[in-house]
Amino acid sequence: MKSAVENLTPTRVKLTVDVTADELKPSIEKAYTTIGSQVQIPGFRKGKVPAKLIEQRFGRAAVIQEAVNEALPELYTNAIVENDVKVLGQPEVDITEFPLEDGAGLSFTAEVDIRPEITLPAFDTLEVEVEPIEVSDADIDERIAELRERFGTLESVERKAKKGDFVTIDLSATIDGNEIDAVSGVSYEIGSGTMLDGLDEALTGLKAGEETTFTSPLAGGEHEGENAECTVKVESVKVRELPEVDDDFASMASEFDTVEELRADLTAQAEQQKKFEQGLQARDRLLDALLEQTEIAVPESIVEDEVKNHLEGEGRADDAEHRAEVEENTRKAIRTQFLLDEIVRVEEIEVGQQELVEYLLMQAQQYGMDPNQFAQ
């Protein structure tokens, strides 16, 4: 077999493959056997039909077509390996010489997208700047506030409900007079916006024992998106009472005995968190710098397929503005993947056993699965 490769663009090549009659002969013989095993001809057992009779009944073209279909995948793969082509996606194959005559060979071309050649910049010339680590009193106060809310208590109040209050409610929804859903004794924080649209407004100003109705689109179920008439009744109104920030609070909320010790620990935690965020920022800015300094061609057909699948999945195939945004993000994602793959290849980066185990444990936790089951 002879093969050659022609670069059409930085991301697409054309393979030309020529196969001699002798090289194709095993596939032709196999084609006779395959066809013979699929047909029933009087006087012959299945699989024992002579080749000449198969040609008479079905024509040589059918036999050669079967042989070519069987041989093409392997021939194409051999040509890829022989020319060290890093293909992406499926090829467009065109048969240029079909071996209908005895002694004739097979010739075909295959156009396919490939990974682009990438020249990485010198890493030691790259510089990125990250935000400095600064832990302010406001950062610590915010963490203290979170602890106060966590250890706060809910106390009933005899007044109209307002934003920030916790209410216990009964809620039902009907469409055309038919009840779609109903819940009782649900605790809800007014202003959180975690349930139905319009619920926060409906609850504001109600006292315990009062109810009202409002219209809202349903957020889930078979009637998702349909407007329903909702009735909400307030069973109780409660306000969160926050503990005073003193040594007693420090002992209750942590392993420390004093507020000073608690604040010192929260300061250390905040510094650690900001260091982590600084590392993420450095990573992202370094990647942007690498992308800016590296020329990476992107196969247009792959971009088109990715964008098409994305928009069709969202039901927004005709949204031109959104299409432009998705296309830009897709191009960057593909360029990023090519870049990282090339860094892995050049730097010979490998994943250690411990790293793999840690990754599997983390992923298993995210999926709520047993690590052993997830690994399988």
Side-chain angles (χ1 to χ4, degrees):
M1 184 185 82
K2 294 181 180 179
S3 65
V5 61
E6 174 189 356
N7 292 318
L8 302 177
T9 71
T11 60
R12 193 167 180 84
V13 298
K14 179 179 180 180
L15 287 163
T16 301
V17 181
D18 297 311
V19 185
T20 66
D22 287 341
E23 291 171 325
L24 193 62
K25 185 176 180 180
S27 296
I28 295 177
E29 292 175 348
K30 185 175 180 181
Y32 281 117
T33 302
T34 300
I35 296 174
S37 65
Q38 295 172 347
V39 299
Q40 185 71 54
I41 296 179
F44 297 94
R45 287 181 295 160
K46 261 191 175 184
K48 300 297 182 180
V49 182
K52 285 291 184 183
L53 186 56
I54 291 176
E55 276 195 28
Q56 291 174 3
R57 284 293 186 96
F58 303 101
R60 179 173 172 80
V63 177
I64 299 302
Q65 186 66 61
E66 174 69 26
V68 169
N69 289 342
E70 190 273 335
L72 263 179
E74 183 177 355
L75 295 172
Y76 169 69
T77 300
N78 290 342
I80 288 173
V81 173
E82 182 178 301
N83 293 278
D84 192 25
V85 178
K86 301 177 179 65
V87 303
L88 296 169
Q90 296 299 314
E92 295 179 7
V93 177
D94 181 27
I95 296 176
T96 56
E97 183 179 339
F98 199 74
L100 284 176
E101 304 297 328
D102 285 337
L106 168 71
S107 296
F108 67 91
T109 62
E111 290 190 19
V112 65
D113 289 322
I114 61 168
R115 285 181 173 271
E117 295 292 330
I118 298 174
T119 301
L120 296 174
F123 296 146
D124 57 4
T125 65
L126 294 173
E127 287 188 8
V128 296
E129 187 173 325
V130 295
E131 303 298 328
I133 295 176
E134 296 178 355
V135 178
S136 65
D137 288 340
D139 292 326
I140 308 308
D141 291 341
E142 182 179 343
R143 289 172 177 258
I144 291 285
E146 291 174 357
L147 280 177
R148 292 181 72 199
E149 288 190 5
R150 190 186 309 169
F151 288 91
T153 57
L154 295 178
E155 302 291 340
S156 295
V157 291
E158 298 295 331
R159 60 163 172 76
K160 295 180 179 180
K162 61 181 181 179
K163 183 178 180 180
D165 287 345
F166 290 80
V167 290
T168 302
I169 59 174
D170 298 334
L171 182 64
S172 63
T174 61
I175 296 179
D176 297 331
N178 298 316
E179 186 175 275
I180 303 302
D181 199 5
V183 290
S184 300
V186 175
S187 179
Y188 178 73
E189 181 182 3
I190 299 178
S192 64
T194 56
M195 292 184 71
L196 294 174
D197 289 344
L199 179 60
D200 291 328
E201 293 79 3
L203 288 170
T204 301
L206 295 183
K207 293 182 178 180
E210 295 181 339
E211 66 177 55
T212 190
T213 60
F214 63 99
T215 301
S216 176
L218 297 179
E222 60 179 308
H223 296 282
E224 180 178 358
E226 295 183 38
N227 283 330
E229 184 175 342
C230 304
T231 300
V232 60
K233 180 179 180 181
V234 176
E235 298 294 339
S236 65
V237 180
K238 296 181 179 181
V239 62
R240 190 195 296 274
E241 296 289 346
L242 301 179
E244 293 295 326
V245 182
D246 53 23
D247 291 346
D248 289 338
F249 168 71
S251 298
M252 174 179 63
S254 71
E255 74 244 40
F256 303 105
D257 297 325
T258 66
V259 173
E260 287 74 16
E261 292 174 317
L262 174 60
R263 289 186 69 90
D265 182 67
L266 292 177
T267 300
Q269 291 182 30
E271 288 178 347
Q272 187 64 30
Q273 176 64 28
K274 287 183 179 289
K275 285 180 181 178
F276 179 75
E277 293 171 356
Q278 191 184 56
L280 294 179
Q281 188 182 77
R283 179 199 65 185
D284 294 341
R285 292 187 179 183
L286 176 60
L287 178 58
D288 287 340
L290 280 166
L291 288 171
E292 186 176 336
Q293 296 188 29
T294 309
E295 185 175 343
I296 306 173
V298 176
E300 292 301 320
S301 61
I302 292 182
V303 174
E304 185 178 337
D305 288 344
E306 290 284 339
V307 172
K308 180 182 177 182
N309 292 336
H310 183 100
L311 294 176
E312 288 181 349
E314 292 183 332
R316 301 175 66 178
D318 298 326
D319 189 334
E321 184 177 348
H322 185 52
R323 173 182 289 274
E325 178 186 353
V326 172
E327 182 174 332
E328 180 181 353
N329 293 336
T330 299
R331 287 184 184 278
K332 182 175 181 180
I334 294 174
R335 291 182 71 238
T336 298
Q337 191 60 62
F338 285 164
L339 173 66
L340 295 177
D341 287 345
E342 184 65 11
I343 292 174
V344 167
R345 187 187 70 82
V346 171
E347 298 295 322
E348 298 182 345
I349 296 172
E350 297 181 350
V351 177
Q353 184 66 26
Q354 185 59 35
E355 291 173 305
L356 178 60
V357 170
E358 290 175 1
Y359 174 79
L360 290 175
L361 289 174
M362 180 180 66
Q363 291 293 100
Q365 186 176 19
Q366 289 183 359
Y367 284 102
M369 294 175 63
D370 174 79
N372 291 322
Q373 181 186 1
F374 180 80
Q376 291 300 322

